[in-house]
Amino acid sequence: MSSLAFSILFIIFFLLTLSLRFWLANRQIRHVLAHQDKVPAEFSPKIGLDAHQKAAAYTIAKTKFGVASLFFSSAVLIGFTLMGGLQWLAAQVLGLTGPGMAYQLGLVIAFGLVSGLLDLPFDYYRQFVIEQKFGFNKMTPGLFFADLAKGLLLGALIGLPLVWVVLALMHKAGSLWWLYAWLVWSGFQLLMMVLYPTVIAPLFNKFTPLADESLKARIEGLMARVGFASKGLFVMDGSKRSAHGNAYFSGFGANKRIVFFDTLLERLAPQEIEAVLAHELGHFKLKHIIKRIALMFAISLAFLALLGYLKNQLWFYTGLGVDPLLGGSDAMALILFMLVLPVFTFVLSPLSSITSRKHEFEADAFAATHASGADLVSALVKMYEDNASTLTPDPLHSAFYDSHPPASVRIAQLNLAGA
Ligand SMILES: [Zn+2]
């Protein structure tokens, strides 16, 4: 391929993805607006018009903000690539470090810092303007920046050694470097699954063992019924940052722990909590989690093999506004790949939604069998109301962006199974 041909291909996909995302956002806004004056019949006794309109306003505010950040990040992408931003950054780093590993690592760090800095105002606005306006923000600016500092430190401690190993493999391991990099990456992912719940998450939140004895007995009964062993039930102080509620379990093997957000426990009745947890356990028992991990490993292998090929193609660099001979190409190949991959893969997003929705229906059915479908329905209704999630998303927008089926579809399915 010539460098010009690749530039043109990139621009075509860039415009395609940008206009598709813009069009979907507009559809979403129009759809929510058109349905904001009437609560859908299946929810009308349980969710009031006020809550429904709050959800509509919140969804529209988030979608409009998404459009603004879409245009900004698109401009940044073009600035980095075709307009020569990365090339300029590389020259600055090279001037400081000289060629070699210091340059490769320095370029990754510089790129990470610059793009993080560009995202920062958007993250801040999302939290302190949008979430604040709708009553979801519980963070102080102090906590926001403390989280940021911790995140940076963790990135340096955990991310940099990983990047260093990958760069060293790219440099020295020959034509199969991507296969070794995949093994390292997969091992790293598994390690993180162990470290995240026990070491990393506690840096950001407090986890206390669930104290409510009757709830505990109820949950232990459920776990015994479905044959699930866990290292413990924990309550997380999610209310420190946000009023949104959730439940999840993390870790694997003997390390599994179940985590409830305090915000969720406050709001749901014990039998509803049991039903929500039964859904989560369904994901585990039906092997959704292991399938998702296997799929993630397979996809990263395919992408690394692709990167292994692209790394040796001159057009991959020059077509994206970069001279690979400047200081060596390894870090540049990694950065370009991460930057432009989403431009080519966004059109495929409904494929992943299809699988995850199938899993959601299966987990709902599991919960209906092992706990109660009616309790899950009432829990879902409360969670939708509390999170101000729209009950009337545009179906096409939802197919691209939502891992979960729309509320009405899930609830209809559960009611059908219960009837
Ligand atoms: Zn689920």
Side-chain angles (χ1 to χ4, degrees):
M1 190 178 310
S2 78
S3 129
L4 179 65
F6 184 57
S7 293
I8 292 172
L9 190 69
F10 170 64
I11 292 169
I12 290 173
F13 270 88
F14 170 80
L15 292 174
L16 185 75
T17 295
L18 179 60
S19 35
L20 179 60
R21 294 186 67 167
F22 183 61
W23 178 68
L24 288 169
N26 278 305
R27 281 183 64 106
Q28 172 81 332
I29 291 170
R30 277 202 309 273
H31 200 271
V32 169
L33 274 177
H35 292 85
Q36 69 171 347
D37 293 325
K38 194 170 168 292
V39 183
E42 61 270 40
F43 298 99
S44 63
K46 296 165 206 143
I47 290 184
L49 187 61
D50 276 4
H52 180 59
Q53 288 181 337
K54 178 189 174 189
Y58 180 53
T59 303
I60 289 169
K62 278 195 303 183
T63 310
K64 282 185 173 163
F65 175 70
V67 170
S69 73
L70 168 66
F71 279 105
F72 181 74
S73 63
S74 300
V76 168
L77 173 61
I78 295 300
F80 268 135
T81 54
L82 300 180
M83 290 175 65
L86 261 178
Q87 178 72 12
W88 178 86
L89 193 63
Q92 307 309 308
V93 174
L94 189 62
L96 285 174
T97 60
M101 184 50 103
Y103 161 73
Q104 304 290 342
L105 213 50
L107 182 57
V108 173
I109 296 170
F111 171 74
L113 288 177
V114 170
S115 38
L117 215 58
L118 291 170
D119 285 339
L120 190 60
F122 286 87
D123 296 338
Y124 193 90
Y125 186 91
R126 183 183 302 113
Q127 191 69 26
F128 293 104
V129 177
I130 299 182
E131 294 291 296
Q132 182 76 39
K133 183 177 167 196
F134 290 92
F136 293 124
N137 176 42
K138 297 282 178 266
M139 254 187 173
T140 58
L143 180 60
F144 180 87
F145 287 107
D147 280 359
L148 191 71
K150 279 186 209 167
L152 270 175
L153 201 64
L154 272 176
L157 280 173
I158 299 175
L160 282 183
L162 178 71
V163 173
W164 179 78
V165 170
V166 171
L167 287 170
L169 286 172
M170 290 174 96
H171 190 59
K172 295 201 180 112
S175 59
L176 282 180
W177 71 266
W178 53 272
L179 191 60
Y180 308 126
W182 178 71
L183 290 172
V184 169
W185 171 249
S186 302
F188 173 77
Q189 292 285 323
L190 292 176
L191 183 68
M192 288 307 287
M193 283 176 215
V194 178
L195 289 186
Y196 183 81
T198 48
V199 180
I200 297 176
L203 296 175
F204 292 90
N205 281 98
K206 215 182 273 161
F207 292 82
T208 39
L210 180 65
D212 182 335
E213 286 302 326
S214 79
L215 181 61
K216 214 167 138 184
R218 181 184 271 277
I219 291 170
E220 277 163 359
L222 169 71
M223 293 200 295
R225 283 205 302 287
V226 304
F228 180 88
S230 153
K231 257 278 172 66
L233 306 169
F234 293 88
V235 182
M236 191 189 99
D237 59 344
S239 57
K240 187 175 160 189
R241 293 189 176 78
S242 164
H244 293 302
N246 207 350
Y248 68 93
F249 75 90
S250 61
F252 65 123
N255 252 317
K256 293 187 296 288
R257 40 170 74 190
I258 292 170
V259 176
F260 298 101
F261 283 39
D262 52 356
T263 36
L264 189 84
L265 291 187
E266 243 167 55
R267 202 33 193 135
L268 298 187
Q271 67 273 21
E272 291 170 337
I273 293 170
E274 181 182 351
V276 168
L277 184 61
H279 170 100
E280 295 303 324
L281 296 185
H283 282 310
F284 177 78
K285 279 303 200 187
L286 300 167
K287 307 217 178 330
H288 295 162
I289 293 170
I290 195 86
K291 280 184 201 161
R292 217 175 296 160
I293 293 172
L295 182 66
M296 184 179 84
F297 283 174
I299 291 175
S300 53
L301 179 62
F303 281 148
L304 274 165
L306 176 63
L307 178 57
Y309 165 77
L310 290 173
K311 180 181 174 302
N312 300 325
Q313 312 305 315
L314 189 61
W315 52 259
F316 175 60
Y317 305 89
T318 50
L320 292 170
V322 160
D323 173 11
L325 298 177
L326 182 87
S329 64
D330 297 341
M332 199 55 104
L334 277 183
I335 294 169
L336 285 177
F337 191 67
M338 275 175 2
L339 263 177
V340 305
L341 189 65
V343 168
F344 292 97
T345 55
F346 179 76
V347 287
L348 301 175
S349 345
L351 291 182
S352 86
S353 304
I354 290 170
T355 346
S356 69
R357 281 165 186 225
K358 186 170 158 277
H359 288 172
E360 292 309 323
F361 286 127
E362 288 171 8
D364 280 349
F366 184 91
T369 310
H370 296 277
S372 146
D375 288 334
L376 184 56
V377 169
S378 70
L380 284 174
V381 169
K382 279 188 190 171
M383 285 160 85
Y384 269 86
E385 180 172 4
D386 288 359
N387 289 326
S389 304
T390 179
L391 300 170
T392 57
D394 173 56
L396 212 57
H397 182 275
S398 182
F400 273 86
Y401 288 101
D402 299 342
S403 58
H404 287 60
S408 53
V409 182
R410 266 180 94 179
I411 289 172
Q413 199 83 8
L414 276 165
N415 286 337
L416 209 67

